[in-house]
Amino acid sequence: MADLVLDYALLHQLAVSMRDLKAKIKTDVDAGSRRAVVTRNGTVVSSDEVGDSGFYAALSAFFYACNAPFNDAMELLDKLADNFDGIAKAFFDVDADFAGKVNTARLQASIAQWQADTAAYNHYLDIKDKSVSYQYYDQDGHLQTATIPLWDAKSPPPHQPGAMPTSIAGTAPVGTNDTTATKTDANGNILSETTTVNSGDGLAYTETTNYTYHDTNGDGRPDYVDYSTTVTHSDGSSETISKQTNTADGSYVITDTTDKGTSTSTVTLKPNGGSHDITVTSDGHTTTTDIDVSEPGKATKTVVGPKGTDVYTGNPDTGKWTLQSHEDPPSDDDTPVFTTVTI
């Protein structure tokens, strides 16, 4: 099967062109409702300018007759432009979100490489002028002392890494651009990051995330990472996503707030890497997901929600699941009927 390719930039341009077309014909449509005759630039033409009153009357009648169908056409143009633009922005936002995650992973890898290069260079600085002394007896039986340098002077020194990288350019298609800039601590942990994606034709997406690290056992390594992300979508709407961890037991709550409301997912941990997740959407629907791990790489996932109950088996480490069974939710006909009898 061929891969599906959607040119959201082209869809967005088409929507813009449709709205431009509507603006251009609106003058004629408005004039037609008044039985007026207008020029290309919207100037009203009088009957004296036409010269022939009969011809002017025919033109006026034509403009009036076109008013209703063109009004309908403008309404349809609006709906079609909204549909095209909605699809374009939805797909653009998905790509932009993915681009940000890829850029973050690339930047983290770049920081890790910088740390390794820095350690190698500092090691070189530490040993380049040092040597090891040893003693031996020469062929005449005399005790001699010699040295071996810890760094071979014939070997080129490692590259000086310079400053820690804090931003990275994306690999967006021609005509678009995406960048991710970060702030890091001395250990290379990303404290905040901002990804900006522009399509080059009016679509823009911005995502800013602030991270909080929790070192619960004092070993210098974060055990839990919380975050707060603010997204400005290509349609101008805002979304805030945050994660808060209870460091006592590792459970956490993810909150997603948009102009439509707030949804929450409360996750508690189970043995062997399993979890119990209760998600309540902004419209009040509740879905419960249980992952029970029987052995490494093998688990059962049970999802109970408005659409019924689904049971999967698979590998929680890779996120690959196979549906084993589905049960529809109870219908209204399944609700027991109770009758009250008065004696």
Side-chain angles (χ1 to χ4, degrees):
M1 180 181 293
D3 293 335
L4 176 63
V5 178
L6 180 64
D7 191 336
Y8 43 72
L10 185 59
L11 279 178
H12 175 66
Q13 291 170 4
L14 183 57
V16 171
S17 297
M18 287 179 173
R19 294 186 178 115
D20 288 344
L21 176 61
K22 176 191 172 182
K24 290 177 181 178
I25 65 175
K26 187 176 186 302
T27 300
D28 290 350
V29 173
D30 291 344
S33 65
R34 307 189 306 272
R35 304 187 74 95
V37 178
V38 296
T39 63
R40 179 184 299 177
N41 60 10
T43 304
V44 177
V45 178
S46 65
S47 58
D48 292 338
E49 292 177 282
V50 174
D52 188 322
S53 59
F55 181 55
Y56 182 84
L59 287 175
S60 177
F62 172 77
F63 270 81
Y64 182 74
C66 290
N67 177 260
F70 269 91
N71 258 323
D72 294 340
M74 287 199 303
E75 184 177 346
L76 293 174
L77 277 175
D78 256 348
K79 291 181 179 179
L80 195 56
D82 289 344
N83 286 337
F84 283 166
D85 217 16
I87 295 172
K89 290 175 178 177
F91 276 85
F92 174 78
D93 283 0
V94 170
D95 275 5
D97 176 64
F98 181 73
K101 289 178 171 57
V102 170
N103 285 350
T104 298
R106 292 173 58 224
L107 185 56
Q108 287 174 329
S110 181
I111 290 173
Q113 184 61 55
W114 175 87
Q115 290 174 324
D117 292 343
T118 299
Y121 186 74
N122 289 338
H123 178 66
Y124 159 75
L125 293 178
D126 182 53
I127 69 172
K128 69 183 183 69
D129 296 323
K130 295 180 179 179
S131 61
V132 175
S133 299
Y134 67 96
Q135 292 182 317
Y136 69 96
Y137 289 95
D138 62 19
Q139 59 185 3
D140 298 323
H142 300 135
L143 183 64
Q144 304 289 338
T145 301
T147 60
I148 299 176
L150 294 181
W151 183 265
D152 186 356
K154 297 180 181 179
S155 299
H159 175 71
Q160 186 174 1
M164 180 188 297
T166 57
S167 64
I168 194 167
T171 56
V174 176
T176 64
N177 65 81
D178 59 293
T179 58
T180 296
T182 67
K183 293 181 180 178
T184 60
D185 62 15
N187 297 320
N189 296 316
I190 295 178
L191 300 178
S192 67
E193 62 178 339
T194 298
T195 295
T196 302
V197 183
N198 291 289
S199 67
D201 61 356
L203 296 178
Y205 174 98
T206 302
E207 179 178 306
T208 299
T209 302
N210 295 305
Y211 296 94
T212 302
Y213 297 88
H214 302 282
D215 177 12
T216 59
N217 56 15
D219 63 355
R221 299 178 179 179
D223 301 297
Y224 304 106
V225 181
D226 288 337
Y227 58 82
S228 178
T229 300
T230 301
V231 179
T232 301
H233 293 281
S234 55
D235 62 358
S237 63
S238 295
E239 180 179 10
T240 302
I241 307 167
S242 64
K243 176 189 174 187
Q244 295 294 325
T245 302
N246 180 353
T247 56
D249 60 6
S251 62
Y252 58 90
V253 178
I254 296 178
T255 304
D256 189 338
T257 302
T258 68
D259 56 357
K260 296 180 181 179
T262 300
S263 63
T264 59
S265 292
T266 303
V267 181
T268 54
L269 306 182
K270 287 186 173 184
N272 304 319
S275 62
H276 174 69
D277 180 348
I278 301 176
T279 298
V280 181
T281 62
S282 58
D283 53 9
H285 292 154
T286 299
T287 299
T288 302
T289 302
D290 282 282
I291 297 178
D292 296 291
V293 181
S294 56
E295 59 184 75
K298 188 175 182 180
T300 299
K301 180 170 71 171
T302 304
V303 182
V304 181
K307 296 183 179 180
T309 300
D310 293 314
V311 179
Y312 303 83
T313 57
N315 187 343
D317 298 328
T318 62
K320 293 183 178 180
W321 301 96
T322 301
L323 179 64
Q324 300 296 326
S325 65
H326 170 78
E327 181 181 344
D328 290 333
S331 65
D332 294 337
D333 295 338
D334 297 333
T335 304
V337 177
F338 299 93
T339 303
T340 302
V341 178
T342 303
I343 300 177

